[in-house]
Amino acid sequence: MSDSALPPGLTARALTRSDSQLLFELIAAQEREDTGQVDIEEADLISDWAVPSYDLTSSSVALFDDDLLVAYAELIGPDRADAAVRPSYRGRGIGTWLAAWLRALARSRGSTVVGMPVPEGSAGDRLLAALGYRIRWTSWVLRLPEGTEIAARALPPGYLVRGADQAELRAAHAVLEDAFLEWSIRERETYEDFAGATFERPGYAPWNLRVVLDPTGAIIGVALVFISADTSTAYVSRLAVRRDERRQGIAQALLVDSFARAREHGATASELSTDSRTGALGLYEKVGMVPIAV
């Protein structure tokens, strides 16, 4: 789509890695307007762009008013997109233009469906509904509130939870992918992409990757937990237990360990997100988490 089709007064180019701060500020402005809080971190963008298989240049567009970044869109995967419009620039047809750009790019890559997460009732939610998009699934953000007592959860006899060793990283990734692909329709993530998004994330430390070992030393559970830049909130970005080891309280014990380790490193609250495909909402509520956003 050419610049002549853009809303008046705007120019377009692809994002570059040096745009991470500008993009963080744009997304933060949209989140603040839509939900009243900022969840995005610049580190999220940097780690996403560190994935070796992801080509930022061919998969993104940024719209500018002179030097001000006012909107962007990225096709993250075959059917997954992200986009934002600066609140003061809404109502100018920018979101509609971005949606058309994303559809055209997805179609050119052979995709038959494309969508993105939006807060319920937000401007993006209303726009996509008006454009004919349907809800594919419902997502929740859950929070373990500050001061919540973290009750200990015992592992089965002979099981152990700790930080992952260097030699265990590929096995940990395999447990995560096996579990996520039970309900997520996509290609299997390569270890190299996982490593790029995880170990190249600013601030990553070995304690962030937690594993549960069975009595033979095999990894059967994994959690990936980070702390926000202001060190106040921990975020469990991935959690999985091997299928044949479930219903023994291992996931709960892994969560409690993640919360406790995060508190040791300065976090006062913990969050994670889940959706209606996983059936895991009840698990998180059992350890004291409460939904704070849909």
Side-chain angles (χ1 to χ4, degrees), residues 202-287:
Y204 174 82
W207 74 266
N208 295 133
L209 188 61
R210 317 297 301 167
V211 294
V212 174
L213 283 69
D214 72 6
T216 72
I219 293 175
I220 54 86
V222 183
L224 187 59
V225 55
F226 297 107
I227 298 182
S228 61
D230 64 5
T231 71
S232 64
T233 301
Y235 184 78
V236 180
S237 66
R238 304 196 197 191
L239 175 77
V241 174
R242 206 172 70 190
R243 182 195 286 267
D244 62 325
E245 293 280 359
R246 294 172 191 165
R247 294 182 173 83
Q248 301 183 78
I250 293 171
Q252 291 187 45
L254 192 51
L255 269 177
V256 168
D257 170 80
S258 298
F259 299 152
R261 301 292 81 73
R263 283 189 176 180
E264 289 176 358
H265 287 82
T268 58
S270 296
E271 295 181 357
L272 56 74
S273 63
T274 190
D275 65 54
S276 52
R277 296 173 296 173
T278 70
L281 180 61
L283 163 67
Y284 304 133
E285 292 176 327
K286 286 179 181 177
V287 296

